[in-house]
Amino acid sequence: MIIVGLTGGIGSGKTTVAKQFKSLGVPVYIADEEAKKLMNRSKVIKRKLIQLFGEKAYVDDALNRPFLADIIFNDTSYLEKMNAIVHPKVAKHFERWVSKQEASYVIKEVAILFENGGHKQCDYVITVVAPKEVRVERLLLRDNTSREKIAAIMKNQWTDEEKVKLSDFVVENIELQDVENQASKIHKELLEKLK
């Protein structure tokens, strides 16, 4: 199975691009969504996160995301430790998911694909880019957050320039119509390559 990584900085519009590929019939795996589900379902992950962060890591048996976010964005060593617990489980879940797919290729959408070395497991990589201020405005509208929190998250991610250098395709996400056209073009190119 051909695996195409889809990544981009926070607020770049990865989900919008993923939806375009889904509408073209491509199976899409959203790693962050699956990680959140596993963090709430997996007894092993729960136990390890409570050991790492304490009892406040879960409230009413659900992941206490604001509590964890405050910790990991103020001390990136905790982010690395959390990723070391969660990422291997997500990787296994992804492998099982891939084995059930029957398409020419699948998309694996991962926010920190390059940062965690995940691009090495992909046959191709698509990076979604958008101007920084556009991304910030999207996040302020979407997440009810602050510019400071957005800056802290962006600081932990590679720059667009770093990602683009290692990517096979780049989608500039400013206008939806352009995104649709770019996704269709990349889809056709990928199908050609796979012939």
Side-chain angles (χ1 to χ4, degrees):
M1 176 64 69
I2 299 297
I3 296 167
V4 179
L6 173 64
T7 194
I10 186 167
S12 61
K14 294 178 297 298
T15 305
T16 301
V17 176
K19 283 178 186 166
Q20 291 305 318
F21 280 96
K22 216 173 199 171
S23 75
L24 295 166
V26 181
V28 176
Y29 184 91
I30 311 285
D32 284 355
E33 282 179 16
E34 297 305 328
K36 284 173 195 159
K37 288 178 193 170
L38 286 169
M39 290 163 94
N40 280 309
R41 281 196 314 241
S42 166
K43 287 180 174 66
V44 174
I45 290 176
K46 272 187 187 179
R47 190 178 66 245
K48 289 181 177 179
L49 289 179
I50 289 169
Q51 284 170 351
L52 179 61
F53 295 106
E55 292 296 326
K56 285 186 181 174
Y58 287 84
V59 174
D60 297 328
D61 215 28
L63 190 67
N64 186 349
R65 292 179 57 210
F67 172 75
L68 295 184
D70 277 349
I71 294 172
I72 59 181
F73 291 116
N74 290 316
D75 183 346
T76 54
S77 70
Y78 277 102
L79 178 61
E80 289 165 19
K81 289 173 190 169
M82 186 175 82
N83 287 344
I85 293 167
V86 178
H87 286 174
K89 293 279 187 196
V90 174
K92 281 194 176 83
H93 185 266
F94 176 68
E95 284 172 23
R96 285 194 302 274
W97 178 84
V98 167
S99 70
K100 296 173 186 167
Q101 304 309 312
E102 295 179 11
S104 302
Y105 70 94
V106 297
I107 296 262
K108 183 180 186 184
E109 191 243 77
V110 184
I112 54 170
L113 184 73
F114 291 111
E115 293 85 341
N116 68 20
H119 63 290
K120 294 173 187 153
Q121 284 91 47
C122 298
D123 299 287
Y124 299 98
V125 174
I126 302 166
T127 292
V128 184
V129 299
K132 189 174 180 179
E133 197 46 44
V134 170
R135 292 167 53 198
V136 169
E137 290 303 321
R138 285 176 184 161
L139 292 165
L140 289 170
L141 284 171
R142 184 187 82 186
D143 293 350
N144 187 24
T145 188
S146 68
R147 287 182 179 274
E148 293 74 32
K149 283 188 177 170
I150 294 167
I153 294 169
M154 287 181 168
K155 196 174 73 184
N156 289 322
Q157 296 183 339
W158 284 20
T159 65
D160 284 352
E161 293 74 28
E162 290 171 301
K163 292 175 188 168
V164 166
K165 278 183 204 164
L166 296 173
S167 300
D168 301 286
F169 305 97
V170 176
V171 172
E172 194 172 342
N173 182 8
I174 299 168
E175 296 292 328
L176 185 59
Q177 187 61 51
D178 290 343
V179 170
E180 290 171 4
N181 295 336
Q182 291 173 79
S184 294
K185 186 172 178 259
I186 292 168
H187 179 61
K188 285 178 189 150
E189 282 184 48
L190 283 167
L191 293 178
E192 278 300 310
K193 288 176 186 284
L194 302 178
K195 279 185 180 174

